[in-house]
């Protein structure tokens, strides 16, 4: 495999197509922040502002500034979004709304803990980029708020009757694996190393179910399997994304055993989640192969495929497994063929089972300036490391 | 069109296939109530009990007993489900949970007003079937609770920040059109006639937007169009189902103008919602043709097609419009070809855009003993009325 050629392909797509798309099309020059609902050509079709996507774009442009090149327009893009978020994104008591109107009025209450995690990630990276303590302390305060809320992340919006079926969800420990590394400069080496032990155990020994060889999205509070719709739910893209977070953490801690386990889970999940008929990775599955509740279970989503490419390359880089290269080739071909729009920049997000585009948008309520550019960046960087070794 | 032959087809499918399926496969002989998560052959694959579907099955078997034949096994099926619901379905203060465990422990809080509307409908019909006042007064109390909650149906689970964008939703006034007629023997003639004026106005003059020729799912509190994801949302099946509720109400009130308006809306909605490429009616659309938020927007759902068949026949029966017969033929052919399972009883619920089955289940969290049998019953009855006229 020609790692050098591939590294250039990922880098060129990132810097030549995707980053300029968001830089030029998404910024709201009137009120600040970003539009994320952009049609095929990049035209705004809805002006609501979703805090997940506002924060992720602040993070992305800060990260590019910190790690690729100190371009003033990247910093300014991140900074203006950060100012909008700082001013309108929370309720003044550290609670991050889910969405805002174009001029910053709160629309949807702070029911979603991931608005907090992406805000923390955004302000930590923007603090690094600007050296501005105000951003750094906002990141730190938000992190503390996440810890306070982590045992009941939905708070008063939790619809489960207490005591009947207390499940815990995979997404938060998974995101914390990534967030702690993102914020190590603020949280300290010791904290990150200590909490990593618990996080790795939670992800690899509790949510990973050896009887199925899969990670499930929900388990009972005591860590046992729940034979219910929620307990059987498998989200292959989610599990695979978590595995590269885990690999980053394990590499940082020099835990070879954990790297090997993550590598095994990536391949098992792909084997299970790959659509043998039409190609691509399913969105949702049921661990016991019952019909999933989600109507969209057989769709192919952009982020699933980009996260898988990252995981396969990191896995190869760390373990040298040839199987990763075979899978990478297959997923790479599918991804570039189906998600890349050859007519205008940024990628499609949503395909049906056959790989046909179902939503022509380039951004919406859930798709913003995040998985495509982060995926291209991570693949480019890992491929470059591999060329050094060749 | 051979109405007699069609009447027999709908009746035979109802009484020969669908009703026996639910009677034999869904009843929980241990704890009472019904299993709704049934696979292709009718085997239980999950035991959670959803109050919408528990109540709808009580209603369906009571209704068959009241309107088709006084079969003891139908009454017993309705009665035992009613007892389960009466005992476990609510919190003792008239609030109906969303779901329960198999043995009746509450799982999901009473956040959903439609658990109440279907409970009211169930106990009103079961009261008629049994003559038991306990059921009747439970229906009446539940109805009062709906009126109390109707201005803020989601209560503390409402995630919208008050004041920024106060929308009202189409589903409740739509369901009330049907529920009031269902409960007229308890609510009284005067109440039903008076409230019908407001309900008809709300549905036909507020949620119906003449500028698009469509009913939208949400409007601003003041009745104006909201150019947002929620405000642009169109659910063709929902709108068409509402039109037969409205036709029933208008027939009851002898409002010929309203019947004609409903008839027009049915045809306009079908014209808009019909998939010209693959046939079938889309699940969700955007009034301004932007990409809908719903990933499953292009799927074809069983209930959408059954409700459309009812509306087309009622419309033809009341107006004599030949266009309805052309559409009926088209939708009837699509529905029987794609949703009916020729190998085992009950119909499939979920197809992709091309009409291929995506979920092999016969019942799940949202599909129970309701739309297929009610649809077959309503079509059979209306077709019979039409044969009298031929």
């Amino acid at each position: 495999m020609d790692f050098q050629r591939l590294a250039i392909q990922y880098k060129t797509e990132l810097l030549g197509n995707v980053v300029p798309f968001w830089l030029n099309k998404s910024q709201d020059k009137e009120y600040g922040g970003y539009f994320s609902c952009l049609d095929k050509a990049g035209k705004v079709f809805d002006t609501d502002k979703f805090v997940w996507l506002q924060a992720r774009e602040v993070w992305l442009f800060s990260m590019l500034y910190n790690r690729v090149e100190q371009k003033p327009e990247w910093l300014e893009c991140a900074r203006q979004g950060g100012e909008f978020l700082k001013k309108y994104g929370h309720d003044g008591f550290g609670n991050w709304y889910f969405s805002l109107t174009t001029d910053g009025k709160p629309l949807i209450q702070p029911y979603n803990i991931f608005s907090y995690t992406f805000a923390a990630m955004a302000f930590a990276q923007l603090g690094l980029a600007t050296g501005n303590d105000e951003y750094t302390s906002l990141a730190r305060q938000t992190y503390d708020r996440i810890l306070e809320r982590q045992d009941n992340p939905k708070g008063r919006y939790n619809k489960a009757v207490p005591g009947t079926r207390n499940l815990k969800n995979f997404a938060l420990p998974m995101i914390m694996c990534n967030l702690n590394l993102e914020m190590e400069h603020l949280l300290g080496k010791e904290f990150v190393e200590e909490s990593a032990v618990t996080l790795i155990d939670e992800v690899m020994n509790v949510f990973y179910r050896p009887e199925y060889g899969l990670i499930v999205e929900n388990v009972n509070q005591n860590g046992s399997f729940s034979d219910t719709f929620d307990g059987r739910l498998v989200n292959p893209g989610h599990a695979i994304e978590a595995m590269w977070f885990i690999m980053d953490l394990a590499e940082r801690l020099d835990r070879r055993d954990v790297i090997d386990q993550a590598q095994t889970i990536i391949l098992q999940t792909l084997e299970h989640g790959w659509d043998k008929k039409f190609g691509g990775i399913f969105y949702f599955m049921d661990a016991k192969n019952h019909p999933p509740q989600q109507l969209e279970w057989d769709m192919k989503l952009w982020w699933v495929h980009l996260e898988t490419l990252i995981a396969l390359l990191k896995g190869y880089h760390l373990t040298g497994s040839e199987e990763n290269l075979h899978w990478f080739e297959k997923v790479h071909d599918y991804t570039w063929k189906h998600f890349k729009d050859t007519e205008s920049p940024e990628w499609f997000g949503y395909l049906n089972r056959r790989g046909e585009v179902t939503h022509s948008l380039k951004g919406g309520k859930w798709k913003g300036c995040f998985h495509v550019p982060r995926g291209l960046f991570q693949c480019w960087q890992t491929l470059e490391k591999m060329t050094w070794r060749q």
Side-chain angles (χ1 to χ4, degrees), chain A residues 135 163 166 194 246 272 353:
Chain A
Y135 298 140
N166 297 330
E194 271 175 24
I246 286 283
H272 187 81
R353 184 167 175 188

Side-chain angles (χ1 to χ4, degrees), chain A residues 74-110:
Chain A
W74 288 353
L75 184 62
E76 176 48 25
C77 179
R79 199 205 50 77
Q80 70 83 0
E83 282 298 307
F84 181 84
L85 257 187
K86 190 184 80 184
K87 204 160 163 187
Y88 302 115
H90 58 91
D91 66 358
F93 302 97
N95 298 304
W96 294 86
Y97 293 114
F98 181 75
S99 64
L100 313 168
T101 58
T102 187
D103 56 346
K105 286 202 251 335
L107 263 177
I108 300 292
Q109 300 280 14

Side-chain angles (χ1 to χ4, degrees), chain A residues 229-331:
Chain A
F229 279 111
D230 291 333
R232 294 188 302 267
L233 186 64
V234 172
N235 181 326
H238 217 202
I240 294 172
E241 181 181 4
M243 289 306 99
W244 76 255
F245 294 171
I246 286 283
M247 279 183 169
D248 277 0
L249 202 53
E251 192 184 7
R252 162 74 184 71
L253 300 173
D254 203 17
R255 286 279 304 271
R256 166 64 42 188
D257 59 323
V258 175
I259 290 174
D260 288 341
Q261 197 196 351
Q263 159 70 12
T264 304
I265 296 176
I266 291 170
L267 296 180
Q268 283 170 189
T269 309
L270 252 177
E271 196 58 59
H272 187 81
W274 183 258
D275 182 353
K276 273 105 195 159
K277 195 162 172 193
F278 295 106
I281 301 158
F282 289 121
Y283 188 14
F284 291 110
M285 305 181 87
D286 180 289
K288 296 177 84 170
N289 292 318
H290 295 313
Q293 253 176 21
Q294 290 72 13
L295 298 191
E296 67 274 27
W297 75 272
D298 66 355
M299 289 179 71
K300 311 291 165 65
L301 270 68
W302 84 107
W303 66 265
V304 171
H305 294 76
L306 281 149
E307 298 304 318
T308 301
L309 292 171
I310 302 171
L312 286 167
L313 287 179
K314 288 200 190 252
Y316 175 75
H317 175 63
L318 293 170
T319 69
S321 156
E322 285 293 320
E323 239 186 300
N324 286 41
L325 293 190
H326 296 137
W327 269 113
F328 178 78
E329 209 169 346
K330 205 154 142 174
V331 181

Side-chain angles (χ1 to χ4, degrees), chain A residues 13 21 45 59 81 86 100 111 137 141 161-162 203 227 231 249-250 276 298 318 330 359 390:
Chain A
E13 182 68 8
F21 174 89
F45 69 88
W59 176 83
K86 190 184 80 184
L100 313 168
Y111 79 94
S137 70
Q141 284 163 34
V161 175
V203 170
D227 191 359
L249 202 53
K276 273 105 195 159
D298 66 355
L318 293 170
K330 205 154 142 174
H359 294 65
Q390 260 181 331

